[in-house]
PDB file of all heavy atoms in Angstrom:
ATOM      1  N   GLN A   1      19.293   7.755 -14.936  1.00 84.00           N
ATOM      2  CA  GLN A   1      20.018   6.539 -15.230  1.00 84.00           C
ATOM      3  C   GLN A   1      19.297   5.304 -14.928  1.00 84.00           C
ATOM      4  O   GLN A   1      19.604   4.194 -15.346  1.00 84.00           O
ATOM      5  CB  GLN A   1      21.427   6.593 -14.582  1.00 84.00           C
ATOM      6  CG  GLN A   1      21.258   6.782 -13.012  1.00 84.00           C
ATOM      7  CD  GLN A   1      21.675   8.218 -12.631  1.00 84.00           C
ATOM      8  OE1 GLN A   1      21.198   9.157 -13.252  1.00 84.00           O
ATOM      9  NE2 GLN A   1      22.361   8.287 -11.554  1.00 84.00           N
ATOM     10  N   VAL A   2      18.316   5.386 -14.053  1.00 87.00           N
ATOM     11  CA  VAL A   2      17.385   4.228 -13.687  1.00 87.00           C
ATOM     12  C   VAL A   2      16.034   4.592 -14.332  1.00 87.00           C
ATOM     13  O   VAL A   2      15.526   5.606 -14.223  1.00 87.00           O
ATOM     14  CB  VAL A   2      17.231   4.085 -12.149  1.00 87.00           C
ATOM     15  CG1 VAL A   2      16.184   3.022 -11.857  1.00 87.00           C
ATOM     16  CG2 VAL A   2      18.634   3.863 -11.458  1.00 87.00           C
ATOM     17  N   ARG A   3      15.528   3.594 -15.076  1.00 92.00           N
ATOM     18  CA  ARG A   3      14.304   3.821 -15.753  1.00 92.00           C
ATOM     19  C   ARG A   3      13.349   2.626 -15.359  1.00 92.00           C
ATOM     20  O   ARG A   3      13.388   1.582 -15.893  1.00 92.00           O
ATOM     21  CB  ARG A   3      14.533   3.766 -17.318  1.00 92.00           C
ATOM     22  CG  ARG A   3      15.421   4.794 -17.873  1.00 92.00           C
ATOM     23  CD  ARG A   3      15.299   4.952 -19.267  1.00 92.00           C
ATOM     24  NE  ARG A   3      14.138   5.381 -19.745  1.00 92.00           N
ATOM     25  CZ  ARG A   3      13.829   5.674 -21.049  1.00 92.00           C
ATOM     26  NH1 ARG A   3      14.850   5.531 -21.957  1.00 92.00           N
ATOM     27  NH2 ARG A   3      12.665   6.001 -21.471  1.00 92.00           N
ATOM     28  N   PRO A   4      12.584   2.943 -14.302  1.00 95.00           N
ATOM     29  CA  PRO A   4      11.536   1.935 -13.858  1.00 95.00           C
ATOM     30  C   PRO A   4      10.519   1.706 -14.843  1.00 95.00           C
ATOM     31  O   PRO A   4      10.204   2.521 -15.778  1.00 95.00           O
ATOM     32  CB  PRO A   4      10.963   2.598 -12.603  1.00 95.00           C
ATOM     33  CG  PRO A   4      11.201   4.039 -12.704  1.00 95.00           C
ATOM     34  CD  PRO A   4      12.371   4.152 -13.522  1.00 95.00           C
ATOM     35  N   PRO A   5       9.941   0.421 -14.803  1.00 95.00           N
ATOM     36  CA  PRO A   5       8.875   0.155 -15.753  1.00 95.00           C
ATOM     37  C   PRO A   5       7.602   0.977 -15.479  1.00 95.00           C
ATOM     38  O   PRO A   5       7.328   1.340 -14.396  1.00 95.00           O
ATOM     39  CB  PRO A   5       8.657  -1.407 -15.463  1.00 95.00           C
ATOM     40  CG  PRO A   5       8.975  -1.496 -14.056  1.00 95.00           C
ATOM     41  CD  PRO A   5      10.163  -0.621 -13.901  1.00 95.00           C
ATOM     42  N   LEU A   6       6.986   1.330 -16.517  1.00 96.00           N
ATOM     43  CA  LEU A   6       5.696   2.116 -16.523  1.00 96.00           C
ATOM     44  C   LEU A   6       4.517   1.170 -16.123  1.00 96.00           C
ATOM     45  O   LEU A   6       4.557   0.010 -16.558  1.00 96.00           O
ATOM     46  CB  LEU A   6       5.333   2.783 -17.843  1.00 96.00           C
ATOM     47  CG  LEU A   6       6.472   3.773 -18.259  1.00 96.00           C
ATOM     48  CD1 LEU A   6       6.251   4.198 -19.747  1.00 96.00           C
ATOM     49  CD2 LEU A   6       6.392   5.073 -17.408  1.00 96.00           C
ATOM     50  N   PRO A   7       3.519   1.589 -15.371  1.00 97.00           N
ATOM     51  CA  PRO A   7       3.614   2.915 -14.632  1.00 97.00           C
ATOM     52  C   PRO A   7       4.379   2.773 -13.309  1.00 97.00           C
ATOM     53  O   PRO A   7       4.653   1.699 -12.828  1.00 97.00           O
ATOM     54  CB  PRO A   7       2.136   3.090 -14.276  1.00 97.00           C
ATOM     55  CG  PRO A   7       1.606   1.695 -14.056  1.00 97.00           C
ATOM     56  CD  PRO A   7       2.319   0.791 -15.069  1.00 97.00           C
ATOM     57  N   PHE A   8       4.891   3.862 -12.960  1.00 98.00           N
ATOM     58  CA  PHE A   8       5.674   3.947 -11.655  1.00 98.00           C
ATOM     59  C   PHE A   8       5.367   5.263 -10.830  1.00 98.00           C
ATOM     60  O   PHE A   8       4.677   6.160 -11.353  1.00 98.00           O
ATOM     61  CB  PHE A   8       7.157   3.867 -11.911  1.00 98.00           C
ATOM     62  CG  PHE A   8       7.638   5.126 -12.599  1.00 98.00           C
ATOM     63  CD1 PHE A   8       8.205   6.205 -11.843  1.00 98.00           C
ATOM     64  CD2 PHE A   8       7.754   5.304 -14.017  1.00 98.00           C
ATOM     65  CE1 PHE A   8       8.614   7.400 -12.504  1.00 98.00           C
ATOM     66  CE2 PHE A   8       8.242   6.474 -14.607  1.00 98.00           C
ATOM     67  CZ  PHE A   8       8.697   7.465 -13.788  1.00 98.00           C
ATOM     68  N   THR A   9       5.627   5.152  -9.578  1.00 98.00           N
ATOM     69  CA  THR A   9       5.577   6.197  -8.731  1.00 98.00           C
ATOM     70  C   THR A   9       6.850   7.029  -8.525  1.00 98.00           C
ATOM     71  O   THR A   9       7.711   6.252  -7.998  1.00 98.00           O
ATOM     72  CB  THR A   9       4.848   5.842  -7.367  1.00 98.00           C
ATOM     73  OG1 THR A   9       3.553   5.378  -7.590  1.00 98.00           O
ATOM     74  CG2 THR A   9       4.793   7.092  -6.459  1.00 98.00           C
ATOM     75  N   PRO A  10       7.124   8.224  -8.782  1.00 97.00           N
ATOM     76  CA  PRO A  10       8.270   8.863  -8.510  1.00 97.00           C
ATOM     77  C   PRO A  10       8.345   9.273  -7.009  1.00 97.00           C
ATOM     78  O   PRO A  10       7.541   8.965  -6.264  1.00 97.00           O
ATOM     79  CB  PRO A  10       8.341  10.162  -9.378  1.00 97.00           C
ATOM     80  CG  PRO A  10       6.894  10.422  -9.580  1.00 97.00           C
ATOM     81  CD  PRO A  10       6.183   9.088  -9.519  1.00 97.00           C
ATOM     82  N   GLY A  11       9.531   9.894  -6.571  1.00 97.00           N
ATOM     83  CA  GLY A  11       9.793  10.123  -5.187  1.00 97.00           C
ATOM     84  C   GLY A  11      10.868   9.260  -4.657  1.00 97.00           C
ATOM     85  O   GLY A  11      10.708   8.061  -4.288  1.00 97.00           O
ATOM     86  N   VAL A  12      12.147   9.790  -4.630  1.00 95.00           N
ATOM     87  CA  VAL A  12      13.278   9.014  -4.386  1.00 95.00           C
ATOM     88  C   VAL A  12      13.871   9.113  -2.953  1.00 95.00           C
ATOM     89  O   VAL A  12      14.839   8.537  -2.570  1.00 95.00           O
ATOM     90  CB  VAL A  12      14.412   9.236  -5.335  1.00 95.00           C
ATOM     91  CG1 VAL A  12      14.036   8.864  -6.768  1.00 95.00           C
ATOM     92  CG2 VAL A  12      14.988  10.704  -5.274  1.00 95.00           C
ATOM     93  N   GLU A  13      13.084   9.928  -2.093  1.00 96.00           N
ATOM     94  CA  GLU A  13      13.700  10.230  -0.752  1.00 96.00           C
ATOM     95  C   GLU A  13      12.597  10.488   0.176  1.00 96.00           C
ATOM     96  O   GLU A  13      11.737  11.410  -0.045  1.00 96.00           O
ATOM     97  CB  GLU A  13      14.633  11.461  -0.859  1.00 96.00           C
ATOM     98  CG  GLU A  13      15.291  11.859   0.302  1.00 96.00           C
ATOM     99  CD  GLU A  13      16.236  13.065  -0.026  1.00 96.00           C
ATOM    100  OE1 GLU A  13      15.741  14.091  -0.645  1.00 96.00           O
ATOM    101  OE2 GLU A  13      17.433  13.000   0.502  1.00 96.00           O
ATOM    102  N   ILE A  14      12.430   9.734   1.233  1.00 97.00           N
ATOM    103  CA  ILE A  14      11.391   9.890   2.221  1.00 97.00           C
ATOM    104  C   ILE A  14      11.880   9.977   3.649  1.00 97.00           C
ATOM    105  O   ILE A  14      12.880   9.358   4.146  1.00 97.00           O
ATOM    106  CB  ILE A  14      10.275   8.972   2.011  1.00 97.00           C
ATOM    107  CG1 ILE A  14      10.776   7.504   2.472  1.00 97.00           C
ATOM    108  CG2 ILE A  14       9.767   8.879   0.580  1.00 97.00           C
ATOM    109  CD1 ILE A  14       9.624   6.499   2.763  1.00 97.00           C
ATOM    110  N   CYS A  15      10.980  10.432   4.471  1.00 98.00           N
ATOM    111  CA  CYS A  15      10.911  10.043   5.928  1.00 98.00           C
ATOM    112  C   CYS A  15       9.627   9.286   6.108  1.00 98.00           C
ATOM    113  O   CYS A  15       8.558   9.617   5.731  1.00 98.00           O
ATOM    114  CB  CYS A  15      10.892  11.302   6.869  1.00 98.00           C
ATOM    115  SG  CYS A  15      10.731  10.989   8.621  1.00 98.00           S
ATOM    116  N   GLY A  16       9.811   8.128   6.719  1.00 97.00           N
ATOM    117  CA  GLY A  16       8.651   7.211   6.830  1.00 97.00           C
ATOM    118  C   GLY A  16       8.544   6.624   8.153  1.00 97.00           C
ATOM    119  O   GLY A  16       9.452   6.820   9.117  1.00 97.00           O
ATOM    120  N   GLU A  17       7.596   5.765   8.366  1.00 98.00           N
ATOM    121  CA  GLU A  17       7.371   5.037   9.622  1.00 98.00           C
ATOM    122  C   GLU A  17       7.226   3.491   9.410  1.00 98.00           C
ATOM    123  O   GLU A  17       6.449   3.156   8.439  1.00 98.00           O
ATOM    124  CB  GLU A  17       6.085   5.652  10.304  1.00 98.00           C
ATOM    125  CG  GLU A  17       5.817   5.108  11.733  1.00 98.00           C
ATOM    126  CD  GLU A  17       4.636   5.660  12.357  1.00 98.00           C
ATOM    127  OE1 GLU A  17       4.344   6.849  12.067  1.00 98.00           O
ATOM    128  OE2 GLU A  17       3.942   4.947  13.015  1.00 98.00           O
ATOM    129  N   THR A  18       8.000   2.832  10.130  1.00 97.00           N
ATOM    130  CA  THR A  18       7.855   1.280   9.893  1.00 97.00           C
ATOM    131  C   THR A  18       6.612   0.751  10.699  1.00 97.00           C
ATOM    132  O   THR A  18       5.979   1.486  11.412  1.00 97.00           O
ATOM    133  CB  THR A  18       9.113   0.620  10.566  1.00 97.00           C
ATOM    134  OG1 THR A  18       9.193   0.834  11.903  1.00 97.00           O
ATOM    135  CG2 THR A  18      10.432   1.115   9.855  1.00 97.00           C
ATOM    136  N   GLU A  19       6.337  -0.543  10.338  1.00 95.00           N
ATOM    137  CA  GLU A  19       5.149  -1.027  10.913  1.00 95.00           C
ATOM    138  C   GLU A  19       5.166  -1.217  12.454  1.00 95.00           C
ATOM    139  O   GLU A  19       4.211  -1.291  13.113  1.00 95.00           O
ATOM    140  CB  GLU A  19       4.852  -2.470  10.327  1.00 95.00           C
ATOM    141  CG  GLU A  19       4.540  -2.318   8.887  1.00 95.00           C
ATOM    142  CD  GLU A  19       4.016  -3.747   8.234  1.00 95.00           C
ATOM    143  OE1 GLU A  19       4.950  -4.418   7.784  1.00 95.00           O
ATOM    144  OE2 GLU A  19       2.853  -4.006   8.201  1.00 95.00           O
ATOM    145  N   ASP A  20       6.493  -1.202  12.956  1.00 95.00           N
ATOM    146  CA  ASP A  20       6.565  -1.283  14.415  1.00 95.00           C
ATOM    147  C   ASP A  20       6.888   0.181  15.088  1.00 95.00           C
ATOM    148  O   ASP A  20       7.328   0.190  16.265  1.00 95.00           O
ATOM    149  CB  ASP A  20       7.744  -2.252  14.797  1.00 95.00           C
ATOM    150  CG  ASP A  20       9.053  -1.914  14.133  1.00 95.00           C
ATOM    151  OD1 ASP A  20       9.186  -0.742  13.544  1.00 95.00           O
ATOM    152  OD2 ASP A  20      10.031  -2.572  14.442  1.00 95.00           O
ATOM    153  N   GLY A  21       6.621   1.192  14.247  1.00 96.00           N
ATOM    154  CA  GLY A  21       6.522   2.490  14.807  1.00 96.00           C
ATOM    155  C   GLY A  21       7.908   3.377  14.835  1.00 96.00           C
ATOM    156  O   GLY A  21       7.958   4.384  15.317  1.00 96.00           O
ATOM    157  N   ARG A  22       8.909   2.807  14.105  1.00 97.00           N
ATOM    158  CA  ARG A  22      10.166   3.544  13.986  1.00 97.00           C
ATOM    159  C   ARG A  22      10.159   4.563  13.006  1.00 97.00           C
ATOM    160  O   ARG A  22       9.677   4.373  11.839  1.00 97.00           O
ATOM    161  CB  ARG A  22      11.327   2.561  13.851  1.00 97.00           C
ATOM    162  CG  ARG A  22      11.632   1.599  14.943  1.00 97.00           C
ATOM    163  CD  ARG A  22      12.804   0.630  14.656  1.00 97.00           C
ATOM    164  NE  ARG A  22      12.416  -0.242  13.659  1.00 97.00           N
ATOM    165  CZ  ARG A  22      13.009  -0.393  12.472  1.00 97.00           C
ATOM    166  NH1 ARG A  22      14.064   0.422  12.033  1.00 97.00           N
ATOM    167  NH2 ARG A  22      12.579  -1.211  11.604  1.00 97.00           N
ATOM    168  N   ARG A  23      10.696   5.738  13.261  1.00 98.00           N
ATOM    169  CA  ARG A  23      10.783   6.829  12.242  1.00 98.00           C
ATOM    170  C   ARG A  23      12.094   6.673  11.601  1.00 98.00           C
ATOM    171  O   ARG A  23      13.231   6.772  12.287  1.00 98.00           O
ATOM    172  CB  ARG A  23      10.658   8.269  12.856  1.00 98.00           C
ATOM    173  CG  ARG A  23      10.332   9.351  12.039  1.00 98.00           C
ATOM    174  CD  ARG A  23      10.043  10.645  12.861  1.00 98.00           C
ATOM    175  NE  ARG A  23      11.192  11.260  13.481  1.00 98.00           N
ATOM    176  CZ  ARG A  23      11.822  12.299  12.997  1.00 98.00           C
ATOM    177  NH1 ARG A  23      11.398  12.979  11.993  1.00 98.00           N
ATOM    178  NH2 ARG A  23      12.878  12.754  13.546  1.00 98.00           N
ATOM    179  N   VAL A  24      12.000   6.660  10.252  1.00 98.00           N
ATOM    180  CA  VAL A  24      13.162   6.339   9.439  1.00 98.00           C
ATOM    181  C   VAL A  24      13.261   7.160   8.211  1.00 98.00           C
ATOM    182  O   VAL A  24      12.367   7.853   7.808  1.00 98.00           O
ATOM    183  CB  VAL A  24      13.273   4.872   9.073  1.00 98.00           C
ATOM    184  CG1 VAL A  24      13.284   3.894  10.302  1.00 98.00           C
ATOM    185  CG2 VAL A  24      12.065   4.510   8.169  1.00 98.00           C
ATOM    186  N   ILE A  25      14.543   7.178   7.614  1.00 97.00           N
ATOM    187  CA  ILE A  25      14.585   7.890   6.261  1.00 97.00           C
ATOM    188  C   ILE A  25      15.127   6.708   5.286  1.00 97.00           C
ATOM    189  O   ILE A  25      15.856   5.640   5.708  1.00 97.00           O
ATOM    190  CB  ILE A  25      15.697   9.033   6.307  1.00 97.00           C
ATOM    191  CG1 ILE A  25      17.015   8.608   6.677  1.00 97.00           C
ATOM    192  CG2 ILE A  25      15.100  10.157   7.107  1.00 97.00           C
ATOM    193  CD1 ILE A  25      18.073   9.786   6.531  1.00 97.00           C
ATOM    194  N   ALA A  26      14.645   6.814   4.009  1.00 96.00           N
ATOM    195  CA  ALA A  26      14.975   5.699   3.127  1.00 96.00           C
ATOM    196  C   ALA A  26      14.885   6.237   1.571  1.00 96.00           C
ATOM    197  O   ALA A  26      14.184   7.372   1.490  1.00 96.00           O
ATOM    198  CB  ALA A  26      14.004   4.609   3.352  1.00 96.00           C
ATOM    199  N   ASN A  27      15.451   5.531   0.774  1.00 95.00           N
ATOM    200  CA  ASN A  27      15.254   5.654  -0.580  1.00 95.00           C
ATOM    201  C   ASN A  27      14.252   4.528  -1.044  1.00 95.00           C
ATOM    202  O   ASN A  27      14.617   3.420  -0.991  1.00 95.00           O
ATOM    203  CB  ASN A  27      16.474   5.500  -1.457  1.00 95.00           C
ATOM    204  CG  ASN A  27      17.635   6.624  -1.050  1.00 95.00           C
ATOM    205  OD1 ASN A  27      18.635   6.204  -0.809  1.00 95.00           O
ATOM    206  ND2 ASN A  27      17.119   7.892  -1.125  1.00 95.00           N
ATOM    207  N   PRO A  28      13.042   4.901  -1.490  1.00 97.00           N
ATOM    208  CA  PRO A  28      12.025   3.865  -1.843  1.00 97.00           C
ATOM    209  C   PRO A  28      12.553   3.041  -2.907  1.00 97.00           C
ATOM    210  O   PRO A  28      13.368   3.444  -3.783  1.00 97.00           O
ATOM    211  CB  PRO A  28      10.875   4.699  -2.233  1.00 97.00           C
ATOM    212  CG  PRO A  28      11.027   6.008  -1.470  1.00 97.00           C
ATOM    213  CD  PRO A  28      12.473   6.191  -1.440  1.00 97.00           C
TER     214      PRO A  28
END
């Protein structure tokens, strides 16, 4: 239902790290 412009990077769900070191989950 969402069509990002080409080119794009898929991957809609992550565990990541903020620049201040917090471990978080997010939808990119």
